[in-house]
Amino acid sequence: MDDQLALRIQLFRESGQVRPEVAAFVADELDALAAEGRTVTEDTAGMLTSHLMMALDRLLDGEPIEQFQTDEQVAAELAGHPGAVARARAVSLRAEKELGAPLPDSEINFLGLHLAVLARNSSA
């Protein structure tokens, strides 16, 4: 993870936008992606980072995360990226175990899209 992305996480945490445990969870997930050879930078993973932190924090606050009208389109797009979907589901399982906040299917799909883009940018 590059310094700018680490700063993004720090700012979310220090401003109170996300809980420290959410910021730590997301940082660990990004470190794991980097360890697998993904290019994890502000440019490649900034949106993924913000989206995941905010979704997890909303779930911990008990806020519902509703289905999006584009869920079917997102799922169709992900059909060609089974590894990204599997990774997103694994992140959700870890979030449930570590934070008590499993991601709903619509969030898993959006996370899968972020992960598919990250994989594409890492192999470019």
Side-chain angles (χ1 to χ4, degrees), residues 1-94:
M1 172 180 358
D2 71 359
D3 290 342
Q4 285 184 311
L5 192 55
L7 179 60
R8 176 187 289 256
I9 295 170
Q10 178 183 346
L11 291 173
F12 269 81
R13 185 184 65 244
E14 289 178 357
S15 68
Q17 290 181 12
V18 299
R19 292 168 173 78
E21 62 269 26
V22 168
F25 176 85
V26 172
D28 289 347
E29 290 296 321
L30 294 172
D31 287 341
L33 287 164
E36 294 170 8
R38 302 288 186 229
T39 304
V40 181
T41 66
E42 174 66 22
D43 289 339
T44 63
M47 293 304 295
L48 179 157
T49 301
S50 294
H51 188 137
L52 184 55
M53 285 192 297
M54 296 303 292
L56 289 169
D57 214 65
R58 283 192 314 266
L59 287 167
L60 289 174
D61 283 341
E63 294 179 31
I65 296 181
E66 298 178 24
Q67 268 191 264
F68 301 98
Q69 292 181 344
T70 58
D71 278 348
E72 288 181 23
Q73 294 166 332
V74 170
E77 177 68 29
L78 286 171
H81 304 281
V85 174
R87 180 59 181 253
R89 291 200 183 286
V91 170
S92 179
L93 289 173
R94 283 190 293 280

